[in-house]
Amino acid sequence: MIPVTEFRQFSEQQPAFRVLKPWWDVFTDYLSVVMLMIGVFGCTLQVMQDKIICLPQRTAASNQTAALPNRTEPEDVSLLAYQEMTGLKTDLDLQQYSFINQMCYEKALHWYAKYFPYLVLIHTVIFMVCSNFWFKFPGSSSKIEHFISILGKCFDSPWTTRALSEVSGENPEEKDHQKLSASRCSISVAPEEKVTLEKTQSLRSIPEKIVVDKPTASAMDKKEGEQAKALFEKVKKFRLHVEEGDILYIMYVRQTVVKVFKFLLILAYNSILVSEVQITVKCHVDIQDMTGYEDFSCNHTMAHLFSKLSYCYLCFVAVYGLTSLYTSYWLFYRSLKEYSFEYVRQETGIDDIPDVKNDFAFMLHMIDQYDPLYSKRFAVFLSEVSENKLKQLNLNHEWTAEKLRQRLVTNAHNRLELQLFMLSGLPDTIFEVTELQSLKLEILYNVTMPASVSKLEDLQELSLYQCCLKLHTTATSFLKENLKVLRVKFDDSRELPGWLYGLRSLEELYLTGSLSSDVSKNVVLESLRELKCLKALTLKSNLAKIPQSIVDVSSHLLRLYLYNDGTRLVMLNNLKKMVNLTELELVRCDLERIPHAIFSLSNLQGLDLKENNLRSVEEIVSFQHLRKLTCLKLWYNSITYIPEHIKKLGSLERLYFSHNKIEVLPSHLFLCNKLRCLDLSNNDIRFIPPEIGVLQSLLYFSVNCNKIENLPDELFFCKKLKTLKLGNNALSLLSPKVAYLALLAHLELKGNHFEALPAELGGCRALKRSGLQVEDTLFETLPSEVRAQMKTE
């Protein structure tokens, strides 16, 4: 015999799968077990007991023959009794009876009466397979197993409960206001209405509200936070994978349709054939040659029991079928390929939980039939707000206030600076470092500056490098009043934060990135008119013209720095409107001539035209109208000569002609007698005119990397010189008059042809070994007392 337990594999699933079995599937599983027992019981009876018992049925002739001995009177009463007890003789032995029973069972008994138990068994097994086929099908079972695994972890995660209190406590002031309003409303409501409200309150929402108002979750440790973070990533990937198709929904619909069809089939043919199960069966088989009879009267020993079992089976099938019809109604009447978390959003306060579709939605509908709490707790891991709160919590665990203080450094502007690189957010602990003056955020995405930034009363400088920063309303107000310096580095102009245009206390603005998003080079930069205190503006971009937004601040802008990526700056007329500029830098703008608009800037004090394409600077004569111009930088160009008009720039104090192609120095250059810094390095100069001695205010002079062979003695009459760079030339002798330079602190002589250094270098009392750039072997040619003097710091 086959025990019932052998059929458990058709219906038994992993215990975790029960969450995907609604009440109707559980009910039909129990019905299937009962029907299975009916089938197994019937099969057992078929095997263990005689199926049919037959007796020969005499014809009229045989009855007469058999009756002849009865006409004689019995000799005594005992003989008569014996004849009555023995009945009619058939002259058949046991083997013949067995043969007759088997033949009549096969020929005369209706097939339904013979195979009823087996049909029950087969139909029930099919029902069991249909009920659980989607758990076994390869295309759906993997998704189900993955989903159940994630669901269990989400349900048991400490963050599931913690998130409710974290999100709901996001705005304490608003929460208190709501509580106050609710208390006032409760006072004004009549007692009868209060009773009504209490009765209509959703019981399902009560547990969640208790959790929100009185969080019982203990503080999460770092390990639990990392596990919850991993769960968020798994849920995201699983959602993307499952929402692409609807194979689970299709498989469940198909197996339900098969069950309904099977139910109708069973009900139809069983209702018709159940009457064929009869106790008495007439049998006619042509076996007279073997037994002497061809008509038999048979008794189906299990007919009565099978008839009752069949009616009972039909009742169970009817109940099973009605349940399947209800399942079909549920499948087709409701939109199971879409799932809305609206009630979860209302009860938990997590407003950004997205609705889902396809197989993801279908599984959530199935879970709701088991227990709606599962989908409610699972929804926490679909919320971006919840994920951000978790990231924030993990950040706060990792970046404590003490750790942040250890990373504080003093930047070039003498401010205490903290740099944060590639973090998932902004740690709340940063606002405990109240001494912070400069904050540098690099490669941080979707970061929100909370209202607690107002605790950083000393914060004056903010740097954002590939960082999308949003501001809380209070944070915006704080930065408007306190921020002095803002640096923003971006890839696209759309990444520029909109709040920067309202920083009315901002004094310095640095923008690095593409401001021209199309071929026409239209600049995407909103008006800076609100930046009333802006003094310095630096743009490192690809400008083809001066943006109008810069002109909006021309009345108070003092320093403008434009660094192009090699794009030619062709439209400079707007420069004429910036009459208050004191410093102007046009770097890598592919300029071939000095722009005439510059000559209108009467307040200009410094001009830098570095890394352009200047070859001739004849326009330099127009600089004589710029009475305040003290610094002129024409370095890193292709200038071949210095025009004689340079002498008219009498106000110049710093002049840079390095990295050009100048071969000859005009004597008129040294008529700019206010020069304090003159850089002529990296050119092709072979001779320095003796007129250099006129520059009595000269502090810095560099002719590195030229072809100079001799130095004029007049050079050493510039007694205020502190820095003299003569490296990488063709010098072979250093004049003893170098001792006249008593203030000289830095002297560079490397890369020349000196054989020895003059002992008069000892007269340069400010010159130390660290300030003397010379080969060690050459330094050893100095007298020992001079060397000792220089080594003394």
Side-chain angles (χ1 to χ4, degrees), residues 510-530:
Y510 301 81
L511 300 179
T512 303
S514 176
L515 289 172
S516 301
S517 57
D518 53 15
V519 180
S520 63
K521 297 298 180 182
N522 290 326
V523 179
V524 183
L525 186 63
E526 295 182 20
S527 175
L528 305 175
R529 189 175 291 108
E530 295 298 322

Side-chain angles (χ1 to χ4, degrees), residues 52 155 166 263 265 309 321 324 338 404 435 439 454 470 483 566 602 618 728 749 757 790:
I52 193 171
F155 191 87
E166 288 288 335
F263 148 70
L265 177 64
L309 286 178
S324 299
E338 296 177 356
L404 292 173
E435 65 271 26
L439 179 58
S454 57
K470 300 177 183 178
L483 197 63
S602 57
E618 287 293 339
N728 295 292
L749 299 174
L757 294 178
M790 290 186 176

